[in-house]
Amino acid sequence: AKTKVQVGVVVIDPKTGDIKALIGGRNKQDYYGLNHITQIFRQPGSCFKPIIYTAAIENGLYPAYPILNQRFDYNEWSPQNYNKETGGFMTLRDGLRKSKNIIAARLVIEGHVELWQIGKLARRLGIKSKLDLYPAITLGATQVTPLEMVSVFSTLANKGIYIEPTSIKQVEDKDGIIIANFTPKSREAISAGTDYIITNMLQSVVN
């Protein structure tokens, strides 16, 4: 039997929260009609790391702050980098740019960021799911929906202002009379200064 590849796509306008496009899957018969964007939970992996680094920045760290790129043993947990390379000290900017697991993990095990802070920040940025607040969350070992992760990055792209994703703006009857309006909730998730720093660090990833 042929394997059917399933994908989900969502496009959000960061400034308005409007969902411009959403594809939940191939068709409603597959996977019992579950929407891959809003209903299926996946481990975000390294996509979650910007949340960890944002928490570190809120706690006073800065892009050039050095973290040792050496493996450690924390209660029998000893993550390694994807390429298994280690070295001396590495800045936060380079740790994020190169997606180094050890650097992200050390932010928690060295006490620069508390797990509860990660949970609170993630919620402010747009994640509503209950997170597994263990050190491995620094590597994205928890479950969220793709829509939640897109909400996080939309918040970062909107100068730290979270706007709830919205798919319906208003409802009209057959005569064009407006029955209901829907205004998305918005709030300041992080300060403009923190957002500027983490966004600048993320630009290093792309560049």
Side-chain angles (χ1 to χ4, degrees), residues 4-205:
K4 292 183 178 180
V5 177
Q6 290 287 336
V7 298
V9 178
V10 61
V11 179
I12 294 178
D13 184 338
K15 295 187 180 300
T16 64
D18 293 349
I19 297 176
K20 297 294 187 179
L22 192 153
I23 301 173
R26 293 173 64 95
N27 58 61
K28 63 182 180 180
Q29 280 75 39
D30 294 328
Y31 283 86
Y32 308 100
L34 289 175
N35 186 317
H36 284 252
I37 294 299
T38 61
Q39 295 176 293
I40 293 185
F41 294 83
R42 292 287 184 265
Q43 288 195 354
S46 292
C47 289
F48 200 88
K49 288 177 183 175
I51 298 176
I52 311 302
Y53 283 85
T54 300
I57 292 167
E58 283 195 324
N59 283 351
L61 272 63
Y62 45 90
Y65 191 91
I67 297 288
L68 185 62
N69 185 30
Q70 287 286 339
R71 293 188 69 180
F72 57 85
D73 188 315
Y74 181 79
N75 294 332
E76 299 184 352
W77 182 59
S78 182
Q80 61 185 9
N81 294 322
Y82 175 76
N83 59 8
K84 299 183 180 180
E85 291 182 355
T86 56
F89 285 91
M90 179 177 286
T91 65
L92 291 189
R93 181 183 295 277
D94 281 343
L96 179 58
R97 181 172 67 87
K98 298 178 180 180
S99 192
K100 295 296 185 181
N101 293 335
I102 292 174
I103 304 300
R106 278 186 176 275
L107 287 174
V108 165
I109 66 109
E110 291 184 0
H112 300 295
V113 177
E114 300 291 341
L115 291 172
W116 65 266
Q117 292 178 313
I118 295 172
K120 289 188 68 174
L121 175 60
R123 186 163 295 277
R124 297 204 314 265
L125 290 171
I127 292 179
K128 299 179 180 180
S129 300
K130 183 179 179 180
L131 299 177
D132 301 315
L133 294 178
Y134 300 101
I137 197 174
T138 56
L139 312 185
T142 189
Q143 292 190 327
V144 297
T145 66
L147 180 61
E148 289 174 322
M149 285 310 303
V150 173
S151 295
V152 170
F153 284 96
S154 292
T155 301
L156 298 181
N158 194 34
K159 300 181 180 180
I161 303 300
Y162 167 79
I163 301 180
E164 187 176 25
T166 305
S167 57
I168 300 175
K169 301 190 75 170
Q170 65 180 35
V171 177
E172 301 179 359
D173 66 12
K174 61 183 178 62
D175 298 315
I177 297 175
I178 297 175
I179 299 175
N181 278 311
F182 300 93
T183 302
K185 298 177 182 177
S186 64
R187 61 175 179 268
E188 182 182 78
I190 56 176
S191 69
T194 296
D195 184 79
Y196 177 85
I197 294 172
I198 188 63
T199 301
N200 183 268
M201 291 170 66
L202 286 169
Q203 287 173 340
S204 299
V205 177

